[in-house]
Every structure is written in structure tokens, then in C-alpha cells.
Amino acid sequence: MTDGITPSQTVGPYFAYCLTPKDYDTREIFSADLTTPAIGGDRIRVVGQVLDGDGVGIGDAMIEIWQADPEGRYAHPADDRARGNSGFAGFGRAPTTPDGMYAFTTVKPGQVPGPNGKPQAPHIAVTVFARGMLKHLYTRIYFEDESANAADPILALVPDEEARRTLIARRLAGEAEPTYRFDIRLQGEGETVFFEA
Amino acid sequence: MGLIYPRESALAHPSNSFEGYRSTAKRHPKRPLVILPHTLSEVTGPVYGHEIVRPEDADLTLQHAGEPLGERIIVSGRVLDEDGRPVPNTLLEVWQANAAGRYVHVADQHPAPLDPNFTGAGRVVTDDEGRYRFVTIRPGAYPWRNHHNAWRPAHIHFSLFGPSYLSRLVTQMYFPGDPLFPFDPIFNSVTDERARNRMVSRFDLDTTQPEWALGFVFDIVLRGRNATPMEEPHDD
């Protein structure tokens, strides 16, 4: 037994040279490109902007994503279903640019089991960190061109249509590679739905 | 062996809205959070261990041609789940200011010197018993512009994954007896005193190396509890 968990503290403004060190001489171990040479499925880009309560882009945020492979398998021991040898880890990390933009290159995840054996629509789990956030926030990215969204048990927890829309990435037209836009509004009009996980 | 993640445990965390910490004002959601069932997407999470670190990552005093200035310290401890069981083979990423209280980060404008022999970023992975250890120098306190004469107590930032998406933790390790504690809104955003004290390392003579470096011990407890309660021992 322990006395309880260690509390969260803000990631602060100065994490980049350790956590997202592309512009520093620290070796980078995580990146915003999740693809591997052997991964199949549909390659996609997910881009967006992280905004504060004034609608201003947050230039010192970090976004982490976690997702299943195109067959809906997680690279984790708690998912005991057989998985291919794609080397797909399903984890990515990206800093925001000075105007709050982030971008990931990945593959579209498959459906994964949900509560009561009901499948969940394809989604990406998202964690948001920034100065001024004492703990990270959880949200999810769904895809607008997925008919499975209608039966997704988690989306169903957000009955308000406008709020639910904040969880659904829009497919951008005219991009060379399939690209989805997912903005993250921490506060105010169009505030993103965040989860207590 | 499965883990469960009781929601009450997360009450130890600070609220994302904390008046004393000015930057929270425009960076916290005002709508209530939606309670998320713990599906496979939550009870899984990135798994990174020994394959991703190099031995030199765990000694922040050896990353440049010369030795950094400052008080050399050894930080060690264990990463545990809520039952007190070790979390083995899990990655810790750490970053900090130098001895003068200055970060390498380009945005840090504090007029204290950079140290050409210190970056302040490290990585280490826990062993089979959840233990970790790294060598660094003691970071300095530094001013920030949150309020008049605001200074952060000396701290080292920690980022950990643990067994799942739900055990993810970013926190700060503080040093015992820091006189800045009463004045720091980030430290005091954890309103429960016992929880707050879990962020404070302790000086430890056993891990202090004679003629070389002071030892500080910092144990970290992540979310996660055994799904199946311990069975009574059988006699048969």
C-alpha cells in the first residue's frame, strides 16, 4: 500500500530540449511520425491548432497521441490479440509551433473493442500538456468520414451535437496526402470536449 | 495481471484552474469533463523501456567536454503503483535548470549564466524492482513573472509513462526544506499537504557518495491498482 499517487505538476515552458528536442542537441526518441516501413493501412496526416480562451494559438504546448494499428490492435500487453510485425508502436509526440500548430503523420487506426463488447469507432487518444496546465487533459480524435461514429459508445456520452463535433476531425480537401484537421480549444467558444479518464 | 485505475486516486492532482498560477486562467476548460470509461484504448499505452535509452543519458554531468558547475547530486528512487508494487522497465525523462537557475531553452531570458557543460536533459529506465538512478547537479531557483518577486523553488521536471495511458504523469521533484515553498503557487496548487509532500525528495546519507555527491531519494507513485485483491493463503 502507498499513501496515494504523486500529484501532477505543469510541464512548464521549458520542456522542449528534453521532450521534443528537435532544435537542441539532445537525441530525439519520440517523433510526430508514427509510421514504420512495414505498416499497412491508410497513411494520414493529422494537423491542428491548440488555442487558449482568447482564441490565441498556444506556442508552448505538447500533444501526445496513442492509437491502435489499422487492424485495431494496440502494441501493449493488455491487448492480447495477435498483431502483425509492422513495428508500429502507436505513440507520437509533437510540440506546437509558435502559433500553436501541431502535425502528425500516422495511419488510420482500426476499430477497437469498447465497453460491453461493442466496437468503438476508429479514434486516436490525445493528451495535451502546456505551461499553465497543472495536469494534462485527455481528449479523442474521431474521423468525420466514419459511419461507425454513429454507434460509438464514447461519442454517445456527449449528447450535445455541437460539443460532440469538437471530437471529430474534418477531412481537408485538396491535400496530396489524406489530411484531417483537429483543433484543440482549451476554453471558451467551441471548447473541446475533454475527458476525466 | 490486470490493473484498475480508481478515479478517486486522481483527486490528488491539482485542479487545472488555480487562481494563484496566472497562466491557468485562459488554459483550463470551463465545461465539466466527460467521465470516460476505461476501455482498451485507456488501459493500454506506450511501452518504452531499456531499448530507448543509452547509459550516458542517466548522467547529466557527462554530456559535454567538461563538468558542469554546481553541487553534484545523485537522484534515485522507485516507481511504484498504488499498491506499492514496483513498476519495472518504465521510462523517466527529466529536465531542469542549471546551478544558476537558467534553462537551456531558447525562451528562458533569466539573466543568469548558461553553463556550456550542462544541458539539463536526462533519461533513465527503471529496473526489475522499479528502481532508477541518475546523476546531475542541483538546480538553482529562478524568478518568473507570475506575480511580484515570484521565484520557483528548485525542482527537477519528471515525465513518466507507467503501465498505461492512465498512469501517464508529468510532475516536479522538489528539495527538502526549500524556503520558497510557501510562496510558490505551482507547488501549492496541490492543496492536500500530504499529497504535496509526496513531491518533495528527501536527503539520504546512504545514497550519498563520500567525497563525491549528495544523495536525494524520490519515490514516485503512479495510478494503477491490482485488479484482483490478494487471496488469503491456503493451507493445503
Side-chain angles (χ1 to χ4, degrees), chain B residues 134-208:
Chain B
F134 64 94
V135 177
T136 185
I137 50 99
R138 186 171 173 142
Y142 61 85
W144 59 314
R145 299 201 169 108
N146 186 69
H147 54 275
H148 173 65
N149 213 4
W151 292 78
R152 294 293 333 275
H155 59 273
I156 299 178
H157 295 266
F158 277 67
S159 168
L160 298 94
F161 290 99
S164 82
Y165 186 69
L166 297 170
S167 54
R168 183 88 177 88
L169 176 72
V170 170
T171 189
Q172 301 179 21
M173 178 199 105
Y174 298 92
F175 291 86
D178 196 311
L180 292 168
F181 283 158
F183 312 108
D184 181 44
I186 294 181
F187 180 69
N188 290 293
S189 68
V190 178
T191 50
D192 177 60
E193 186 184 359
R194 284 164 65 103
R196 199 160 59 233
N197 287 336
R198 292 198 289 273
M199 304 187 293
V200 182
S201 60
R202 65 181 164 85
F203 169 70
D204 180 54
L205 198 59
D206 290 338
T207 52
T208 293

Coordinates of all heavy atoms in Angstrom, one line a residue, chain B residues 134-208:
Chain B
F134 N 19.8 8.6 -11.4 CA 20.6 9.5 -12.3 C 21.5 10.5 -11.5 O 21.2 10.7 -10.3 CB 19.7 10.1 -13.3 CG 18.7 11.1 -12.8 CD1 19.0 12.5 -12.7 CD2 17.4 10.7 -12.4 CE1 18.1 13.4 -12.2 CE2 16.5 11.6 -11.9 CZ 16.8 12.9 -11.8
V135 N 22.5 10.9 -12.2 CA 23.4 11.9 -11.6 C 23.2 13.2 -12.3 O 23.1 13.3 -13.5 CB 24.9 11.4 -11.8 CG1 25.9 12.4 -11.3 CG2 25.1 10.0 -11.2
T136 N 23.2 14.3 -11.5 CA 23.1 15.6 -12.1 C 23.7 16.7 -11.2 O 24.5 16.3 -10.3 CB 21.6 15.9 -12.4 OG1 21.4 17.2 -13.0 CG2 20.7 15.9 -11.1
I137 N 23.4 17.9 -11.4 CA 23.8 18.9 -10.4 C 22.5 19.5 -9.9 O 21.4 19.4 -10.5 CB 24.7 20.0 -11.0 CG1 24.1 20.6 -12.3 CG2 26.1 19.5 -11.3 CD1 23.4 21.8 -12.1
R138 N 22.6 20.1 -8.7 CA 21.4 20.6 -8.0 C 21.0 21.9 -8.8 O 21.8 22.8 -8.9 CB 21.7 20.9 -6.6 CG 20.5 21.4 -5.8 CD 20.9 21.4 -4.3 NE 19.8 22.0 -3.6 CZ 19.4 21.6 -2.4 NH1 20.0 20.7 -1.8 NH2 18.4 22.2 -1.8
P139 N 19.7 21.9 -9.2 CA 19.3 23.1 -10.0 C 19.1 24.3 -9.1 O 18.8 24.2 -7.9 CB 17.9 22.7 -10.6 CG 17.4 21.6 -9.7 CD 18.7 20.9 -9.1
G140 N 19.2 25.5 -9.6 CA 19.0 26.7 -8.9 C 17.6 27.1 -8.9 O 16.8 26.7 -9.8
A141 N 17.2 28.0 -8.0 CA 15.9 28.6 -8.0 C 15.9 29.7 -9.1 O 17.0 30.1 -9.5 CB 15.5 29.3 -6.7
Y142 N 14.8 30.1 -9.6 CA 14.8 31.1 -10.7 C 13.5 32.0 -10.6 O 12.5 31.5 -10.1 CB 14.9 30.5 -12.1 CG 13.9 29.6 -12.5 CD1 12.7 30.0 -13.1 CD2 14.1 28.2 -12.3 CE1 11.7 29.1 -13.5 CE2 13.1 27.3 -12.7 CZ 11.9 27.8 -13.3 OH 10.9 26.9 -13.7
P143 N 13.6 33.2 -11.0 CA 12.5 34.1 -11.0 C 11.5 33.8 -12.2 O 12.0 33.4 -13.2 CB 13.1 35.5 -11.1 CG 14.3 35.2 -11.9 CD 14.8 33.9 -11.6
W144 N 10.3 34.1 -12.0 CA 9.3 34.0 -13.1 C 8.3 35.2 -12.9 O 8.3 35.8 -11.8 CB 8.6 32.7 -13.2 CG 7.8 32.2 -12.0 CD1 8.2 32.2 -10.7 CD2 6.5 31.6 -12.0 NE1 7.2 31.7 -9.9 CE2 6.2 31.3 -10.7 CE3 5.6 31.3 -13.1 CZ2 5.0 30.7 -10.4 CZ3 4.4 30.7 -12.7 CH2 4.1 30.4 -11.4
R145 N 7.5 35.5 -13.9 CA 6.8 36.7 -13.9 C 5.3 36.5 -13.4 O 4.5 37.4 -13.7 CB 6.9 37.4 -15.2 CG 8.3 37.7 -15.6 CD 8.4 38.7 -16.6 NE 9.8 39.2 -16.7 CZ 10.6 38.9 -17.7 NH1 10.1 38.2 -18.8 NH2 11.9 39.3 -17.7
N146 N 5.1 35.5 -12.7 CA 3.7 35.2 -12.3 C 3.1 36.3 -11.4 O 2.0 36.7 -11.5 CB 3.6 33.9 -11.6 CG 2.2 33.4 -11.2 OD1 1.5 33.1 -12.1 ND2 1.9 33.5 -10.0
H147 N 3.9 36.8 -10.5 CA 3.5 37.9 -9.6 C 4.8 38.6 -9.2 O 5.9 38.2 -9.5 CB 2.7 37.4 -8.4 CG 3.4 36.3 -7.6 ND1 3.4 35.0 -8.0 CD2 4.3 36.4 -6.6 CE1 4.1 34.3 -7.1 NE2 4.7 35.1 -6.3
H148 N 4.6 39.7 -8.4 CA 5.8 40.5 -8.0 C 6.7 39.6 -7.2 O 6.3 38.9 -6.2 CB 5.3 41.7 -7.1 CG 6.5 42.4 -6.5 ND1 7.4 43.1 -7.3 CD2 6.9 42.5 -5.3 CE1 8.4 43.6 -6.5 NE2 8.1 43.3 -5.3
N149 N 8.0 39.6 -7.6 CA 9.1 38.9 -6.8 C 8.8 37.4 -6.7 O 8.9 36.8 -5.7 CB 9.2 39.5 -5.4 CG 10.7 39.4 -5.0 OD1 11.6 39.0 -5.7 ND2 10.9 39.8 -3.7
A150 N 8.3 36.8 -7.8 CA 8.0 35.4 -7.8 C 9.2 34.6 -8.2 O 9.9 34.8 -9.1 CB 6.9 35.1 -8.9
W151 N 9.5 33.5 -7.4 CA 10.6 32.6 -7.6 C 10.1 31.2 -7.5 O 9.4 30.9 -6.6 CB 11.7 32.9 -6.5 CG 12.4 34.2 -6.6 CD1 11.9 35.4 -6.2 CD2 13.7 34.5 -7.2 NE1 12.8 36.4 -6.5 CE2 13.9 35.9 -7.1 CE3 14.7 33.6 -7.8 CZ2 15.1 36.4 -7.6 CZ3 15.8 34.2 -8.3 CH2 16.0 35.6 -8.2
R152 N 10.5 30.4 -8.4 CA 10.2 29.0 -8.3 C 11.2 28.3 -7.4 O 12.4 28.5 -7.5 CB 10.3 28.3 -9.7 CG 9.4 28.6 -10.8 CD 7.9 28.3 -10.5 NE 7.6 27.1 -9.7 CZ 7.6 25.9 -10.0 NH1 7.8 25.5 -11.2 NH2 7.2 24.9 -9.1
P153 N 10.7 27.5 -6.5 CA 11.7 26.6 -5.7 C 12.5 25.7 -6.6 O 11.9 25.4 -7.7 CB 10.8 25.8 -4.8 CG 9.4 26.1 -5.2 CD 9.3 27.2 -6.1
A154 N 13.7 25.4 -6.3 CA 14.5 24.5 -7.1 C 13.7 23.2 -7.4 O 13.1 22.6 -6.4 CB 15.8 24.2 -6.4
H155 N 13.7 22.7 -8.6 CA 13.0 21.5 -8.9 C 13.6 20.8 -10.1 O 14.2 21.4 -11.0 CB 11.5 21.8 -9.1 CG 11.3 22.8 -10.3 ND1 11.3 24.1 -10.1 CD2 11.0 22.6 -11.6 CE1 11.1 24.7 -11.3 NE2 10.9 23.8 -12.2
I156 N 13.3 19.5 -10.3 CA 13.6 18.8 -11.5 C 12.3 18.3 -12.0 O 11.4 17.7 -11.3 CB 14.5 17.6 -11.1 CG1 15.8 18.1 -10.5 CG2 14.8 16.7 -12.4 CD1 16.8 17.0 -10.1
H157 N 12.0 18.5 -13.3 CA 10.8 18.0 -14.0 C 11.0 16.5 -14.3 O 12.0 16.1 -14.8 CB 10.6 18.7 -15.3 CG 10.4 20.2 -15.2 ND1 9.1 20.7 -15.1 CD2 11.2 21.3 -15.1 CE1 9.2 22.0 -15.0 NE2 10.4 22.4 -14.9
F158 N 9.9 15.8 -14.1 CA 9.9 14.3 -14.4 C 8.7 14.0 -15.3 O 7.6 14.6 -15.1 CB 9.6 13.5 -13.1 CG 10.9 13.2 -12.3 CD1 11.5 14.3 -11.7 CD2 11.3 11.9 -12.2 CE1 12.6 14.0 -10.9 CE2 12.5 11.7 -11.4 CZ 13.1 12.7 -10.7
S159 N 8.9 13.2 -16.3 CA 7.8 12.7 -17.2 C 7.9 11.2 -17.2 O 9.0 10.6 -17.5 CB 8.0 13.3 -18.6 OG 7.2 12.6 -19.5
L160 N 6.8 10.5 -16.9 CA 6.8 9.1 -16.8 C 5.5 8.5 -17.6 O 4.5 9.2 -17.6 CB 6.6 8.5 -15.4 CG 7.8 8.9 -14.4 CD1 7.4 10.1 -13.6 CD2 7.9 7.7 -13.5
F161 N 5.7 7.3 -18.1 CA 4.5 6.6 -18.8 C 3.9 5.6 -17.8 O 2.6 5.7 -17.7 CB 5.0 5.9 -20.0 CG 5.4 6.9 -21.1 CD1 6.7 7.2 -21.4 CD2 4.4 7.5 -21.9 CE1 7.0 8.1 -22.4 CE2 4.7 8.4 -22.9 CZ 6.0 8.7 -23.1
G162 N 4.6 4.8 -17.2 CA 4.0 3.7 -16.4 C 3.3 2.7 -17.3 O 3.4 2.7 -18.5
P163 N 2.4 1.9 -16.7 CA 1.8 0.8 -17.4 C 0.8 1.1 -18.5 O 0.5 0.3 -19.3 CB 1.2 -0.1 -16.4 CG 1.2 0.7 -15.1 CD 2.1 1.8 -15.3
S164 N 0.2 2.3 -18.5 CA -0.9 2.6 -19.4 C -1.0 4.1 -19.6 O -0.4 4.9 -19.0 CB -2.2 2.0 -18.9 OG -2.8 2.9 -18.0
Y165 N -1.9 4.4 -20.6 CA -2.3 5.8 -20.8 C -2.8 6.5 -19.6 O -2.6 7.7 -19.4 CB -3.4 5.6 -21.9 CG -3.9 6.9 -22.5 CD1 -3.2 7.7 -23.4 CD2 -5.3 7.3 -22.3 CE1 -3.7 8.8 -24.0 CE2 -5.8 8.4 -22.9 CZ -5.0 9.2 -23.7 OH -5.5 10.3 -24.3
L166 N -3.4 5.7 -18.7 CA -3.9 6.3 -17.5 C -2.9 6.6 -16.4 O -3.2 7.3 -15.4 CB -5.0 5.4 -16.9 CG -6.2 5.2 -17.8 CD1 -7.1 4.1 -17.3 CD2 -7.0 6.5 -18.0
S167 N -1.7 6.0 -16.5 CA -0.7 6.2 -15.5 C 0.3 7.3 -15.9 O 1.2 7.6 -15.1 CB 0.1 4.9 -15.2 OG 0.6 4.4 -16.5
R168 N 0.1 7.9 -17.0 CA 0.9 9.0 -17.5 C 1.0 10.0 -16.4 O 0.0 10.5 -15.9 CB 0.4 9.5 -18.8 CG 1.2 10.6 -19.5 CD 2.2 10.1 -20.4 NE 2.9 11.1 -21.1 CZ 4.1 11.6 -20.6 NH1 4.6 11.3 -19.5 NH2 4.7 12.6 -21.3
L169 N 2.3 10.5 -16.2 CA 2.5 11.5 -15.2 C 3.6 12.5 -15.6 O 4.7 12.0 -16.0 CB 2.8 10.9 -13.8 CG 3.1 11.9 -12.7 CD1 1.9 12.6 -12.2 CD2 3.8 11.2 -11.5
V170 N 3.3 13.8 -15.5 CA 4.3 14.8 -15.6 C 4.3 15.5 -14.2 O 3.2 16.0 -13.8 CB 4.1 15.7 -16.8 CG1 5.1 16.9 -16.7 CG2 4.3 15.0 -18.1
T171 N 5.4 15.6 -13.6 CA 5.4 16.2 -12.3 C 6.8 17.0 -12.0 O 7.6 17.1 -13.0 CB 5.1 15.2 -11.1 OG1 4.9 15.9 -9.9 CG2 6.2 14.2 -11.0
Q172 N 7.0 17.5 -10.8 CA 8.2 18.1 -10.5 C 8.7 17.6 -9.1 O 7.9 17.4 -8.2 CB 8.0 19.6 -10.4 CG 7.6 20.2 -11.8 CD 7.3 21.7 -11.8 OE1 7.9 22.4 -10.9 NE2 6.5 22.2 -12.7
M173 N 10.0 17.3 -9.0 CA 10.6 16.9 -7.8 C 11.2 18.1 -7.1 O 12.0 18.8 -7.7 CB 11.7 15.9 -8.0 CG 12.4 15.4 -6.8 SD 14.0 14.6 -7.1 CE 15.1 15.9 -6.6
Y174 N 10.9 18.3 -5.8 CA 11.4 19.4 -5.1 C 12.4 18.9 -4.1 O 12.6 17.7 -3.8 CB 10.3 20.2 -4.4 CG 9.3 20.8 -5.3 CD1 8.1 20.0 -5.7 CD2 9.5 22.0 -5.9 CE1 7.2 20.6 -6.6 CE2 8.5 22.6 -6.8 CZ 7.4 21.9 -7.1 OH 6.5 22.4 -8.0
F175 N 13.1 19.9 -3.5 CA 14.2 19.6 -2.5 C 13.7 19.9 -1.1 O 13.0 20.9 -0.9 CB 15.5 20.3 -2.8 CG 16.1 19.8 -4.1 CD1 15.7 20.3 -5.3 CD2 17.0 18.8 -4.0 CE1 16.3 19.8 -6.5 CE2 17.6 18.3 -5.2 CZ 17.2 18.8 -6.4
P176 N 14.1 19.1 -0.1 CA 13.5 19.2 1.2 C 13.9 20.6 1.8 O 15.0 21.1 1.7 CB 14.2 18.1 2.0 CG 15.3 17.6 1.2 CD 15.0 17.9 -0.2
G177 N 12.9 21.2 2.5 CA 13.1 22.4 3.3 C 13.3 23.7 2.5 O 13.9 24.6 3.0
D178 N 12.8 23.7 1.3 CA 13.0 24.9 0.4 C 12.3 26.0 1.0 O 11.0 26.0 1.2 CB 12.6 24.6 -1.0 CG 13.1 25.6 -2.0 OD1 13.0 26.8 -1.7 OD2 13.7 25.2 -3.0
P179 N 12.9 27.2 1.3 CA 12.2 28.3 1.9 C 11.2 29.0 0.9 O 10.4 29.8 1.4 CB 13.4 29.3 2.2 CG 14.5 28.9 1.3 CD 14.4 27.4 1.1
L180 N 11.2 28.6 -0.3 CA 10.3 29.2 -1.3 C 8.9 28.5 -1.3 O 8.0 29.0 -2.0 CB 10.9 29.2 -2.7 CG 12.1 30.2 -2.9 CD1 12.8 29.9 -4.2 CD2 11.7 31.6 -2.8
F181 N 8.8 27.3 -0.7 CA 7.6 26.6 -0.7 C 6.3 27.4 -0.4 O 5.4 27.3 -1.2 CB 7.6 25.4 0.2 CG 8.4 24.2 -0.3 CD1 8.9 23.3 0.6 CD2 8.7 24.0 -1.6 CE1 9.7 22.2 0.2 CE2 9.4 22.9 -2.1 CZ 9.9 22.0 -1.2
P182 N 6.3 28.2 0.6 CA 5.1 28.9 1.0 C 4.6 29.9 -0.1 O 3.5 30.3 -0.1 CB 5.4 29.6 2.3 CG 6.7 29.0 2.8 CD 7.4 28.4 1.6
F183 N 5.5 30.3 -0.9 CA 5.2 31.4 -1.9 C 5.0 30.9 -3.3 O 4.7 31.7 -4.2 CB 6.4 32.4 -1.9 CG 6.9 32.8 -0.5 CD1 8.1 32.3 0.0 CD2 6.0 33.6 0.3 CE1 8.5 32.7 1.3 CE2 6.5 33.9 1.5 CZ 7.7 33.5 2.1
D184 N 5.1 29.6 -3.5 CA 5.0 29.1 -4.9 C 3.6 28.5 -5.2 O 3.2 27.5 -4.7 CB 6.1 28.0 -5.1 CG 6.1 27.5 -6.5 OD1 6.0 28.3 -7.5 OD2 6.1 26.2 -6.7
P185 N 2.9 29.2 -6.1 CA 1.5 28.7 -6.4 C 1.5 27.4 -7.1 O 0.5 26.6 -7.0 CB 1.0 29.8 -7.3 CG 2.1 30.6 -7.8 CD 3.2 30.5 -6.8
I186 N 2.6 27.0 -7.9 CA 2.5 25.7 -8.6 C 2.6 24.6 -7.6 O 1.8 23.6 -7.6 CB 3.7 25.7 -9.6 CG1 3.4 26.7 -10.8 CG2 3.8 24.2 -10.2 CD1 4.4 26.7 -11.9
F187 N 3.6 24.7 -6.6 CA 3.7 23.7 -5.6 C 2.4 23.7 -4.8 O 1.9 22.6 -4.5 CB 4.9 24.1 -4.7 CG 5.2 23.2 -3.5 CD1 5.6 21.9 -3.7 CD2 5.0 23.6 -2.2 CE1 5.9 21.1 -2.6 CE2 5.2 22.8 -1.1 CZ 5.7 21.5 -1.3
N188 N 1.9 24.8 -4.4 CA 0.7 24.9 -3.6 C -0.6 24.6 -4.3 O -1.7 24.6 -3.7 CB 0.6 26.2 -2.8 CG 1.7 26.3 -1.8 OD1 1.7 25.5 -0.8 ND2 2.7 27.1 -2.0
S189 N -0.6 24.4 -5.6 CA -1.8 24.0 -6.4 C -2.2 22.6 -5.9 O -3.4 22.3 -6.1 CB -1.5 24.0 -7.9 OG -0.6 23.0 -8.2
V190 N -1.3 21.9 -5.4 CA -1.7 20.6 -4.7 C -2.1 20.9 -3.3 O -1.3 21.3 -2.5 CB -0.6 19.6 -4.7 CG1 -1.0 18.3 -4.0 CG2 -0.1 19.3 -6.2
T191 N -3.5 20.9 -3.1 CA -3.9 21.5 -1.9 C -3.8 20.6 -0.6 O -3.8 21.1 0.5 CB -5.4 22.0 -2.0 OG1 -6.1 20.9 -2.6 CG2 -5.5 23.2 -3.0
D192 N -3.7 19.3 -0.8 CA -3.6 18.4 0.3 C -2.1 18.4 0.7 O -1.3 18.0 -0.1 CB -4.1 17.1 -0.1 CG -4.0 16.0 1.0 OD1 -4.5 16.3 2.1 OD2 -3.2 15.0 0.8
E193 N -1.9 18.6 2.0 CA -0.5 18.7 2.4 C 0.3 17.4 2.2 O 1.4 17.4 1.8 CB -0.4 19.2 3.8 CG 1.0 19.5 4.3 CD 1.1 19.8 5.7 OE1 0.1 19.9 6.4 OE2 2.3 20.0 6.2
R194 N -0.4 16.3 2.5 CA 0.3 15.0 2.4 C 0.6 14.7 1.0 O 1.7 14.2 0.6 CB -0.6 13.9 3.0 CG -0.6 13.9 4.5 CD -1.7 13.1 5.0 NE -1.6 11.6 4.7 CZ -1.2 10.7 5.5 NH1 -0.9 11.0 6.8 NH2 -1.1 9.5 5.1
A195 N -0.3 15.0 0.1 CA -0.1 14.8 -1.4 C 1.1 15.7 -1.8 O 2.0 15.3 -2.6 CB -1.3 15.1 -2.2
R196 N 1.0 17.0 -1.4 CA 2.1 17.9 -1.7 C 3.5 17.4 -1.3 O 4.4 17.5 -2.1 CB 1.8 19.3 -1.1 CG 2.4 20.5 -1.7 CD 1.7 21.7 -1.3 NE 1.6 22.0 0.1 CZ 0.5 22.2 0.8 NH1 -0.6 22.3 0.2 NH2 0.5 22.4 2.1
N197 N 3.5 16.9 -0.1 CA 4.8 16.4 0.4 C 5.3 15.2 -0.4 O 6.5 14.9 -0.3 CB 4.7 16.1 1.9 CG 4.6 17.4 2.7 OD1 5.1 18.4 2.2 ND2 4.1 17.3 3.9
R198 N 4.5 14.5 -1.2 CA 4.9 13.4 -2.0 C 5.8 13.9 -3.2 O 6.4 13.1 -3.9 CB 3.8 12.6 -2.4 CG 3.1 11.8 -1.3 CD 2.2 10.7 -1.8 NE 1.0 11.1 -2.5 CZ -0.2 11.3 -1.9 NH1 -0.3 11.3 -0.6 NH2 -1.2 11.6 -2.6
M199 N 5.8 15.2 -3.4 CA 6.6 15.8 -4.5 C 8.0 16.2 -4.0 O 8.8 16.7 -4.8 CB 5.9 17.0 -5.1 CG 4.5 16.6 -5.6 SD 3.8 18.0 -6.6 CE 3.5 19.2 -5.3
V200 N 8.2 16.1 -2.7 CA 9.4 16.6 -2.1 C 10.4 15.4 -1.9 O 10.0 14.4 -1.2 CB 9.2 17.3 -0.8 CG1 10.5 17.8 -0.2 CG2 8.2 18.4 -1.0
S201 N 11.6 15.5 -2.4 CA 12.5 14.4 -2.2 C 13.1 14.5 -0.8 O 12.9 15.5 -0.1 CB 13.7 14.5 -3.2 OG 14.3 15.8 -3.1
R202 N 13.8 13.4 -0.4 CA 14.5 13.5 0.9 C 16.0 13.3 0.8 O 16.4 12.5 -0.1 CB 13.9 12.6 1.9 CG 14.1 11.1 1.6 CD 13.4 10.2 2.6 NE 13.3 8.9 2.0 CZ 14.3 8.0 2.1 NH1 15.4 8.2 2.7 NH2 14.1 6.8 1.5
F203 N 16.7 14.0 1.6 CA 18.1 13.8 1.6 C 18.4 12.4 2.2 O 17.8 12.0 3.1 CB 18.9 14.9 2.4 CG 20.3 14.5 2.6 CD1 21.2 14.6 1.6 CD2 20.7 14.1 3.9 CE1 22.5 14.2 1.8 CE2 22.1 13.7 4.1 CZ 23.0 13.8 3.0
D204 N 19.4 11.7 1.6 CA 19.6 10.4 2.0 C 21.2 10.1 2.1 O 21.9 10.2 1.1 CB 19.0 9.4 1.0 CG 19.2 8.0 1.4 OD1 18.9 7.6 2.5 OD2 19.7 7.2 0.5
L205 N 21.6 9.8 3.4 CA 23.0 9.6 3.5 C 23.5 8.3 2.9 O 24.6 8.2 2.5 CB 23.4 9.7 5.0 CG 24.8 9.9 5.4 CD1 25.3 11.2 4.9 CD2 25.0 9.9 6.9
D206 N 22.6 7.3 2.9 CA 23.0 6.0 2.3 C 23.4 6.1 0.8 O 24.2 5.3 0.4 CB 21.9 5.0 2.5 CG 21.8 4.6 4.0 OD1 22.7 4.8 4.8 OD2 20.7 4.2 4.4
T207 N 22.7 6.9 0.1 CA 23.0 7.0 -1.3 C 23.9 8.2 -1.6 O 24.3 8.4 -2.8 CB 21.7 7.2 -2.2 OG1 20.9 8.3 -1.6 CG2 20.8 5.9 -2.2
T208 N 24.3 8.9 -0.6 CA 25.3 9.9 -0.7 C 26.7 9.2 -0.9 O 27.0 8.3 -0.2 CB 25.3 10.8 0.5 OG1 24.1 11.6 0.5 CG2 26.5 11.8 0.5

